[in-house]
Amino acid sequence: MKKYILLLCAYLTSASLLVSCNHSNDKESKGKSGNEHKNANGKHYDKTITKDMVSVEEAFSIIKENEGNPDFVLLDVRTRAEYNEGHLKNAVQHDFFATDFDEWLLGRDREKRYLIYCRTHNRSKLAFDKLKNAQFKYIQYMKGGFTEWADKGYPVEKSTYKKVLDVYIKGDKIKTSNNIN
């Protein structure tokens, strides 16, 4: 009987050591907080999400912290026209009101971190809710949206247009000038 008790104790001790070693290795790969992950470049990025809605200032910090992180997506859910008027650098644009928005969302990687913005934060909140319902893990949206971002002087990129046609209307006559090279 003593022999069986000693064997059982040895087995339980070995099993608990294996479990604790596996837990320790898991923490090392994720980082100290358990939410820190290595991306493809080997750099650690913290995916900790403490709140759903972030201020423009907090969004700026999040974007800076995740520069070069392929597991971070800055998602602009405004229309293409709004995006062309000005957007945040490296933003991925897809119109929230597009007929394929839900289908497009489902094709995204649920393990990446997403920061969503729109013009004021109404559409980004709706997009946030859709991502949350689709089991995305690391998502936030920016309060005040692009309008507040630009008003506070944060960096904005604008799409470049190539002017291809000038139209002059004078009275009943229309004169056009092609600038196509």
Side-chain angles (χ1 to χ4, degrees):
M1 182 73 167
K2 276 186 177 181
K3 188 177 181 182
Y4 290 112
I5 292 174
L6 285 174
L7 283 173
L8 181 62
C9 287
Y11 175 75
L12 291 174
T13 304
S14 298
S16 66
L17 282 173
L18 284 174
V19 170
S20 68
C21 286
N22 285 340
H23 180 70
S24 171
N25 289 340
D26 186 45
K27 246 187 161 179
E28 284 174 23
S29 67
K30 287 186 177 178
K32 293 175 186 171
S33 69
N35 286 319
E36 200 172 295
H37 299 266
K38 277 187 183 180
N39 69 10
N41 300 332
K43 187 172 178 185
H44 287 276
Y45 294 95
D46 191 0
K47 286 188 174 181
T48 304
I49 304 292
T50 57
K51 57 184 178 176
D52 298 341
M53 184 172 62
V54 297
S55 68
V56 168
E57 295 80 11
E58 290 167 319
F60 182 76
S61 294
I62 291 167
I63 293 165
K64 280 290 186 196
E65 289 167 9
N66 285 281
E67 272 184 1
N69 180 0
D71 293 328
F72 175 74
V73 179
L74 183 57
L75 180 57
D76 185 330
V77 294
R78 299 175 302 150
T79 65
R80 175 55 69 180
E82 289 174 301
Y83 178 86
N84 288 340
E85 289 174 5
H87 56 272
L88 279 58
K89 183 179 180 180
N90 297 323
V92 173
Q93 185 273 333
H94 202 87
D95 185 351
F96 176 78
F97 293 116
T99 56
D100 70 336
F101 186 76
D102 291 345
E103 183 182 335
W104 180 84
L105 263 187
L106 294 177
R108 304 304 100 201
D109 186 345
R110 286 173 172 76
E111 295 296 320
K112 290 188 176 188
R113 181 176 183 177
Y114 293 84
L115 177 58
I116 311 163
Y117 75 94
C118 63
R119 185 173 49 90
T120 58
H121 79 250
N122 294 321
R123 286 173 282 180
S124 58
K125 168 63 169 123
L126 295 172
F128 170 86
D129 290 340
K130 284 186 182 233
L131 270 81
K132 191 170 191 169
N133 290 335
Q135 307 301 312
F136 283 73
K137 295 179 181 180
Y138 309 104
I139 48 175
Q140 294 175 292
Y141 66 100
M142 182 170 67
K143 180 183 178 185
F146 182 79
T147 302
E148 189 173 325
W149 178 277
D151 287 347
K152 291 193 173 184
Y154 286 103
V156 170
E157 294 209 342
K158 294 191 178 196
S159 300
T160 56
Y161 295 100
K162 181 178 180 186
K163 192 181 209 181
V164 293
L165 181 67
D166 286 326
V167 177
Y168 305 98
I169 301 175
K170 186 174 182 183
D172 292 335
K173 297 180 181 181
I174 299 175
K175 177 184 174 186
T176 62
S177 148
N178 289 332
N179 291 333
I180 302 173
N181 295 331

